[in-house]
Amino acid sequence: MELQLALDLVNIPEAIELVKEVEEHIDIVEIGTPVVINEGLHAVKAVKKAFPNLKVLADLKIMDAAGYEVMKASEAGADIVTILGTSEDMSIKGAVEEAKKQGKKILVDMIAVKDLAGRAKEVDAMGVDYICVHTGYDLQAVGKNSFEDLQTIKSVVKNAKTAIAGGIKLDTLPEVIKVQPDLVIVGGGITGQADKKAAAAKMQQMINQG
Ligand SMILES: O=C([C@H](O)CO)[C@H](O)[C@H](O)COP(=O)(O)O
């Protein structure tokens, strides 16, 4: 199981300061969608340059022009790029093809997918690297989470790694670990804590104990 730190509400210098605090306790650093919107792929480039030993995920949530956008994110230094599970099969296949060419990985974000089991099977067959259940900010605000969805994809995904994101905190992490995803994605559960290093260290320890 790996731990990914999601950075959503920071600018580039703040992102670098934050990663410095927790880098020894995380495996992947995510440049979140709001950061890419505010700062562009410069944020991916700057974080990869500052932390060459960490994997960097560009959370582009691609919907179209997938091959081109994966190429641009790869050029900026992303190791993993996200595409939406709701996008066309052709887009997902294009993303996978370009990622393979560039030696990068594709994570499919299943946010807002209605037939989760059915779509997970389909995208799994397209050769994607990760399939991620995700409760976004807007549904977190009305008390939703993705714990049951994680069990759903775990039962149907045969090839890709499984991941979960959305509002995971120290007190809910044990419920996630029980289902054994390959990747746990945490934003506010670390970045919103007064002692970010301690929160990341504790999460890493819980994940390693599995
Ligand atoms: O992908 C995300 C969200 O859509 C905003 O871009 C977050 O990175 C993801 O939800 C993880 O963050 P937390 O929910 O704060 O753990």
Side-chain angles (χ1 to χ4, degrees), residues 70-184:
V70 169
M71 179 181 78
K72 292 320 247 182
S74 302
E75 284 171 6
D79 300 286
I80 308 170
V81 185
T82 68
I83 184 165
L84 294 174
T86 50
S87 54
E88 302 287 354
D89 290 1
M90 196 167 264
S91 303
I92 296 180
K93 287 177 187 165
V96 169
E97 193 182 318
E98 184 61 30
K100 283 206 162 72
K101 216 188 285 172
Q102 304 276 350
K104 310 292 180 171
K105 307 268 186 227
I106 294 296
L107 180 147
V108 177
D109 186 334
M110 303 298 275
I111 190 167
V113 167
K114 298 294 177 219
D115 173 14
L116 187 59
R119 189 63 178 148
K121 273 190 218 166
E122 287 173 359
V123 297
D124 193 31
M126 292 176 210
V128 306
D129 300 285
Y130 297 86
I131 298 176
C132 181
V133 290
H134 181 195
T135 301
Y137 286 0
D138 298 343
L139 283 192
Q140 287 178 40
V142 292
K144 305 262 192 241
N145 65 52
S146 291
F147 304 148
E148 267 184 52
D149 289 346
L150 178 59
Q151 286 174 338
T152 302
I153 62 161
K154 281 286 288 190
S155 67
V156 296
V157 170
K158 302 281 178 256
N159 306 304
K161 293 182 172 175
T162 56
I164 178 166
I168 299 166
K169 306 274 186 297
L170 261 180
D171 62 332
T172 50
L173 185 58
E175 205 171 334
V176 169
I177 291 173
K178 245 192 281 166
V179 193
Q180 294 281 297
D182 298 291
L183 175 63
V184 180

Side-chain angles (χ1 to χ4, degrees), residues 4-9 30-35 59 61 109 111 134-138 140 164-169 185-191:
Q4 176 173 313
L5 170 70
L7 298 175
D8 285 294
L9 306 173
E30 167 186 333
I31 306 304
T33 318
V35 178
D59 190 16
K61 295 190 175 77
D109 186 334
I111 190 167
H134 181 195
T135 301
Y137 286 0
D138 298 343
Q140 287 178 40
I164 178 166
I168 299 166
K169 306 274 186 297
I185 301 172
V186 181
I190 294 173
T191 59

